[in-house]
Amino acid sequence: MRTFLLLVSCLVFAIVSVTGLRGTKTMRSPIEIFPDMVRQAKVKEQAPSYFFSDQRASRYPVPGTVPTTDPVDLPYLNTGTIGDYWGDGIPIPVTGETLKTGRERFEIFCSACHGSTGSGNGIATQYGLVGVPNYHSEHTRQMPDGQIFFVITHGQGLMLGYGANLSPEERWAVVAYIRALQLSQNAALSDVPIAERQRLEGK
Amino acid sequence: MANLFGKAANQLPPKIVVGILIIGALTVAGIAYYFTPKYTRVGYMPKQPIPFDHSLHVTGLGLDCRFCHSFVEKSGFSNIPTTQTCMSCHRMVKADSPKLAALRESWETGEPVRWVRVYQLPDYVYFDHSAHVNRGVSCFSCHGEVNLMRTVYHKTPLSMSWCLDCHRNPEYFLRPQEKVFDLGWQAPTGRQQIEMGKQLIEQGKINPSDNCSACHR
């Protein structure tokens, strides 16, 4: 009996030391104990597919086509240009809701470089990112809305585009928010509705 | 013939029974402990082609999850960022760090970086990120404190009972919508959490399904 118990405890010890405890960090891939139908031969997002020669399951659009979800019948909304020129004006209704979306998207996608106020002092500039302009400079203030939209979509110079991550409406909302930021740094008392002026002047 | 079995043999049958009982109990305990996703999945921490550090980029730089995982609230799956997303900073920041060699190679050739997948459900389960993150379920409930992880590891078991534990009692996990992406937020504990959860359920008419067809369709 003693030898038996000794053998059993040795066996338990061996198993535990080989298999480890629950939750141990490991590089071994997860074991699938009953692998029936767990991995099926279907195309899943972000996984390679051996059906295609380049193994990309997510396909590029066929050259010369655009997704039907793009607003192709509204060229200004979609590109920011009118004919060969930058358009000016925001082609979506600008409401408090729009500015809220714009602000949320701006803080997610832009503030790391441009800073939350758009002064070009985002955190990445402390680590060697150069060339971030200040939105309150004359150059950006004079930029037509359509051109800002285009910069967000395709990038410009040192900045890469964010068109893939933001829908056209969200990009226009960001343009509206940038305009609001610029106004916030350059507003005059005459921009304030008369009824509110007294409150501002502290009277 | 009388001496073929010694006196000791009298104790053999009970000993065999006890031995079998011990082996049986140990086998049951072993299976219960090891044959579950709590063992087979939790703790999986694969080596990635680039040693990407979430704690640096999220807590250190203050990036939002959606800067990189940009479709998590719009689509069923959460995308891994493209090379371009990284390169917008890393063409200038640490531009020739040896740790980023695979990233630069991908940028030049156009081949995607082959990140090793950590979380993966069986193909017969249907899962949707946007259904969760737009209804007050934080990344934290399912992926753990990613904002503090230097390397992402598998934190939760993703077993069916784990999904159902929340689908049946979501009030233990829900949080206000604006805190979903803020992993550093301290959720209230105990009764307060349950009360807040119940309130959110009422406001949002949140009713997670426990029908088989919700997840197996």
Side-chain angles (χ1 to χ4, degrees), chain A residues 6-160:
Chain A
L6 201 70
L7 267 175
V8 168
S9 10
C10 285
L11 194 69
V12 169
F13 183 74
I15 290 180
V16 171
S17 49
V18 170
T19 50
L21 299 176
R22 278 183 185 176
T24 318
K25 307 257 170 43
T26 164
M27 279 170 22
R28 155 180 70 59
S29 18
I31 312 156
E32 275 151 7
I33 295 166
F34 299 111
D36 347 291
M37 298 188 74
V38 166
R39 301 292 159 231
Q40 302 166 12
K42 63 181 177 186
V43 172
K44 301 254 313 190
E45 67 279 342
Q46 307 204 81
S49 161
Y50 297 97
F51 180 77
F52 299 105
S53 60
D54 62 357
Q55 295 181 12
R56 282 175 200 260
S58 318
R59 310 302 299 164
Y60 285 118
V62 177
T65 63
V66 290
T68 49
T69 45
D70 276 7
V72 275
D73 44 342
L74 298 168
Y76 180 52
L77 180 80
N78 200 19
T79 61
T81 53
I82 300 175
D84 286 344
Y85 298 95
W86 303 120
D88 213 353
I90 290 172
I92 56 168
V94 181
T95 59
E97 229 15 74
T98 319
L99 286 177
K100 247 170 88 184
T101 325
R103 176 188 176 142
E104 191 195 42
R105 297 293 126 180
F106 183 87
E107 307 224 300
I108 296 170
F109 288 101
C110 321
S111 62
C113 300
H114 287 280
S116 341
T117 57
S119 331
N121 58 355
I123 181 139
T125 57
Q126 294 168 18
Y127 292 89
L129 190 89
V130 291
V132 186
N134 184 346
Y135 287 160
H136 311 303
S137 69
E138 212 41 41
H139 182 254
T140 320
R141 284 167 58 77
Q142 298 300 337
M143 236 181 192
D145 293 336
Q147 192 182 353
I148 297 187
F149 180 85
F150 186 88
V151 173
I152 302 177
T153 314
H154 300 287
Q156 162 194 309
L158 292 171
M159 174 179 151
L160 298 173

Side-chain angles (χ1 to χ4, degrees), chain B residues 4-69:
Chain B
L4 190 55
F5 295 103
K7 215 164 181 162
N10 283 345
Q11 285 172 6
L12 211 53
K15 275 185 181 169
I16 289 175
V17 170
V18 170
I20 288 176
L21 282 182
I22 291 179
I23 291 180
L26 283 174
T27 315
V28 170
I31 290 179
Y33 189 79
Y34 285 124
F35 284 32
T36 132
K38 285 187 192 134
Y39 170 72
T40 57
R41 291 195 183 124
V42 175
Y44 177 43
M45 185 164 83
K47 186 168 165 21
Q48 301 287 357
I50 301 169
F52 176 76
D53 180 349
H54 274 83
S55 69
L56 176 90
H57 289 84
V58 176
T59 309
L61 300 177
L63 293 180
D64 191 286
C65 308
R66 289 166 289 177
F67 184 88
C68 293
H69 304 291

Side-chain angles (χ1 to χ4, degrees), chain B residues 56-187:
Chain B
L56 176 90
H57 289 84
V58 176
T59 309
L61 300 177
L63 293 180
D64 191 286
C65 308
R66 289 166 289 177
F67 184 88
C68 293
H69 304 291
S70 48
F71 295 105
V72 66
E73 55 178 352
K74 295 182 190 163
S75 81
F77 71 100
S78 169
N79 59 312
I80 296 291
T82 56
T83 304
Q84 177 174 338
T85 310
C86 313
M87 278 319 240
S88 58
C89 286
H90 283 294
R91 281 183 310 164
M92 290 174 266
V93 180
K94 291 259 175 191
D96 30 46
S97 160
K99 290 188 192 159
L100 291 165
L103 189 69
R104 289 191 297 272
E105 191 189 313
S106 152
W107 182 241
E108 275 148 27
T109 59
E111 283 295 308
V113 179
R114 303 258 168 180
W115 299 106
V116 184
R117 183 133 182 201
V118 184
Y119 289 85
Q120 196 166 22
L121 284 169
D123 287 356
Y124 53 75
V125 183
Y126 171 85
F127 179 77
D128 189 323
H129 270 93
S130 62
H132 292 91
V133 297
N134 292 324
R135 304 290 264 163
V137 186
S138 170
C139 320
F140 181 85
S141 305
C142 303
H143 296 298
E145 64 295 352
V146 180
N147 57 333
L148 304 176
M149 289 182 193
R150 308 208 54 186
T151 312
V152 182
Y153 60 87
H154 210 303
K155 177 80 183 181
T156 47
L158 297 193
S159 61
M160 180 161 146
S161 69
W162 174 80
C163 303
L164 288 174
D165 280 346
C166 176
H167 274 218
R168 291 185 177 142
N169 296 304
E171 65 270 18
Y172 289 91
F173 305 97
L174 295 181
R175 47 169 88 185
Q177 187 57 41
E178 63 276 10
K179 301 291 179 200
V180 165
F181 302 95
D182 180 0
L183 270 65
W185 186 66
Q186 279 294 327

